[in-house]
């Protein structure tokens, strides 16, 4: 179940002095290639080779001349992030611990489902925010990931399934959730560029409806996220009153619940087709009462939304416990019977500690009528 990858080889690749073309958008690519006399239309062909065909070797770009392929190989590379550790769970969930050029690490997890699969990717190494129930928030080192490091996570997963060129149907990497390490709206420009390449039909061609960005509530960036990226939005709510949310999600002191929900109401295009997901981590005796469930309903009733109840995933040193099953079911029932779709997420990949709680998982308890999977 556990396949530690040889890291030496990866480091050799990473210490390659040639700049990587991965992470560049169409404009940057054209600019990087023009000093070699490469015309814009050729640069667009190369864009498709990189992001739609996923080639990692210039030799495979068969509609380019041999000379051009040689020149490209001499000057550039198409390297993915290195992998310092790879694990596969009994349930098929896979986790990659990625290592970047400066030896910083971040995680990326794939959760397979019937006919599809979700990749949970990171936006930062660590996180500057300090949500009290989140392990990532305890990490000292924090930096933003580059575009190459963000898009590279998706490309690496595609490589592992040999899912190139981008297939039209039956993808194993069909859905993306930005629910790994970091606060994506604190790394807005890089996240935006990476997701635009992911959505580009001549790039990775992943529909914006299949990409979800999760934020702890960086209110001023929410509108831009909708307008400039246009992906599905998930909000880490976790509490229904400011006192408790200040404690659990300290960014709430800056942008309290009222402002956060106002930004959700204004989220560009938030129609029924683009409902906002409210994430709610279930913490025993802290935020899981029936009263809080009813208050949640009152707060979000007028926002086209759905609720994901995430059983708390404990980590060494954490002060919280996960709510009892009975409390989670009751909470779920109250929200559902008020007409808001709620579901309980069953953590996947527990045996490899992939279920940081952040990760996509399947519903274990749907409304009697049956709640379809949302992602
Ligand atoms: N920073 C962003 C995205 C990454 S966290 C955000 O906070 O939304 C993704 C989700 O996992 C968030 O809802 C987060 O609150 C939740 N989460 C973090 N640690 C968890 C844990 N130990 N158990 C359950 N959920 C957790
Ligand atoms: Fe950062 Fe999200 Fe964890 Fe909060 S929950 S510390 S915002 S990664």
């Amino acid at each position: 179940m556990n396949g530690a990858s040889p890291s030496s080889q990866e480091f050799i690749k990473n210490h390659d002095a040639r700049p990587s073309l991965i992470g560049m958008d169409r404009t940057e690519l054209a600019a990087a290639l023009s000093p070699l006399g490469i015309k814009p239309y050729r640069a667009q062909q190369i864009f498709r080779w990189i992001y739609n065909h996923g080639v990692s070797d210039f030799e495979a770009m068969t509609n380019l001349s041999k000379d051009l392929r040689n020149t490209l190989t001499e000057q550039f590379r198409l390297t993915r992030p290195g992998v310092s550790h790879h694990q596969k769970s009994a349930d098929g969930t896979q986790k990659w611990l990625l290592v970047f050029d400066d030896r910083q690490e971040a995680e990326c997890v794939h959760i397979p489902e019937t006919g599809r699969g979700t990749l949970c990717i990171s936006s930062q190494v660590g996180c500057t925010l300090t949500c009290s129930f989140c392990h990532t928030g305890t990490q000292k080192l924090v930096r933003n990931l580059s575009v190459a490091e963000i898009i590279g996570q998706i490309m690496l997963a595609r490589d592992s399934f040999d899912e190139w060129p981008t297939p039209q149907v039956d993808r194993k990497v069909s859905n993306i959730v930005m629910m790994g390490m970091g606060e994506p709206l604190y790394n807005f420009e890089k996240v935006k560029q990476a997701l635009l390449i992911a959505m580009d039909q001549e790039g990775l061609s992943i529909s914006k409806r299949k990409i979800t960005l999760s934020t702890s509530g960086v209110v001023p960036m929410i509108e831009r996220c909708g307008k400039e990226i246009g992906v599905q939005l998930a909000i880490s709510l976790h509490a229904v009153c400011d006192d408790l949310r200040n404690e659990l999600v300290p960014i709430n002191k800056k942008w309290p619940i009222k402002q956060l929900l106002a930004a959700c109401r204004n989220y560009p295009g938030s129609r029924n087709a683009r409902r906002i997901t409210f994430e709610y981590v279930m913490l025993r005796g802290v935020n899981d009462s029936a009263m809080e469930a009813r208050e949640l309903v009152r707060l979000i009733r007028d926002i086209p939304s759905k609720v994901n109840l995430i059983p708390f995933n404990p980590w060494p040193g954490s002060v919280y416990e996960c709510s009892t099953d009975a409390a989670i079911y009751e909470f779920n029932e109250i929200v559902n019977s008020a007409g808001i779709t709620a579901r309980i997420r069953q953590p996947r990949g527990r045996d490899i500690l992939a279920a940081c709680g952040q990760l996509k998982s399947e519903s274990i308890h749907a409304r009697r009528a049956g709640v379809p999977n949302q992602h």
Side-chain angles (χ1 to χ4, degrees), residues 124 126-131 133-138 180-183 215-216 236 238 248-249 358:
Q124 298 182 309
C127 185
T128 51
L129 300 170
T130 49
C131 301
F133 56 88
C134 175
H135 197 28
T136 306
T138 65
M181 297 168 81
E183 170 46 59
T215 179
S216 57
S236 294
H238 308 318
L248 299 179
V249 189
Q358 292 95 319

Side-chain angles (χ1 to χ4, degrees), residues 57-276:
D57 183 348
F58 292 103
E59 268 312 299
M61 300 185 174
T62 47
N63 60 358
L64 307 185
S65 71
K66 181 82 190 139
D67 279 357
L68 183 50
R69 283 183 267 160
N70 286 343
T71 313
L72 288 169
T73 309
E74 275 160 24
Q75 308 236 357
F76 298 105
R77 61 193 168 112
L78 295 167
T79 321
R80 282 49 168 156
V83 177
S84 68
H85 205 67
H86 172 232
Q87 287 173 291
K88 191 163 182 178
S89 155
D91 70 11
T93 302
Q94 294 189 71
K95 179 164 86 172
W96 292 270
L97 184 62
L98 307 173
V99 55
F100 304 116
D101 290 8
D102 61 355
R103 305 215 170 187
Q104 292 293 324
E105 294 178 322
E107 270 178 22
C108 165
V109 174
H110 179 264
I111 303 110
E113 292 149 286
T114 319
R116 58 182 218 158
T118 299
L119 190 71
C120 176
I121 62 173
S122 297
S123 56
Q124 298 182 309
V125 169
C127 185
T128 51
L129 300 170
T130 49
C131 301
S132 52
F133 56 88
C134 175
H135 197 28
T136 306
T138 65
Q139 288 197 347
K140 293 248 152 40
L141 267 160
V142 182
R143 75 162 171 85
N144 283 336
L145 294 189
S146 66
V147 180
E149 290 163 343
I150 299 169
I151 196 88
Q153 296 171 58
I154 312 178
M155 298 178 75
L156 182 121
R158 280 263 181 93
D159 289 349
S160 81
F161 294 112
D162 207 6
E163 203 159 61
W164 300 111
T166 299
Q168 292 304 315
V169 286
D170 289 337
R171 295 182 186 174
K172 295 209 167 54
V173 184
S174 59
N175 294 54
I176 306 292
V177 291
M178 293 221 80
M179 295 188 184
M181 297 168 81
E183 170 46 59
L185 296 186
Y186 272 178
N187 187 16
F188 185 80
E189 297 300 337
K190 307 287 183 218
V191 165
K192 173 181 164 184
Q193 182 165 328
L195 293 183
L196 291 181
I197 297 171
M199 290 186 274
D200 193 312
Q201 288 192 353
E202 294 186 325
L204 286 115
S205 192
I206 302 171
S207 152
K208 62 183 177 186
R209 271 168 237 95
K210 294 189 188 291
I211 302 178
T212 302
L213 182 149
S214 174
T215 179
S216 57
V218 185
V219 167
M221 300 308 288
I222 288 179
E223 188 179 0
R224 284 190 65 195
C225 175
K227 280 197 174 135
E228 298 175 31
I229 316 179
V231 288
Q232 304 281 129
L233 184 67
I235 301 285
S236 294
L237 192 62
H238 308 318
V240 292
C241 71
D242 283 324
D243 279 353
L244 180 59
R245 195 163 190 271
N246 287 345
E247 202 182 304
L248 299 179
V249 189
I251 200 180
N252 192 68
K253 293 182 203 148
K254 223 172 186 167
W255 295 295
I257 295 175
K258 204 168 165 209
Q259 287 182 31
L260 177 58
L261 296 181
C264 291
R265 278 185 202 99
N266 293 332
Y267 189 64
S270 73
R271 295 165 269 113
N272 217 25
R274 223 169 106 178
R275 283 183 291 170
I276 289 171

Side-chain angles (χ1 to χ4, degrees), residues 2-16:
N2 189 334
S5 304
S7 44
S8 53
Q9 206 187 338
E10 299 297 343
F11 282 127
I12 292 164
K13 265 205 281 177
N14 287 339
H15 288 158
D16 192 327

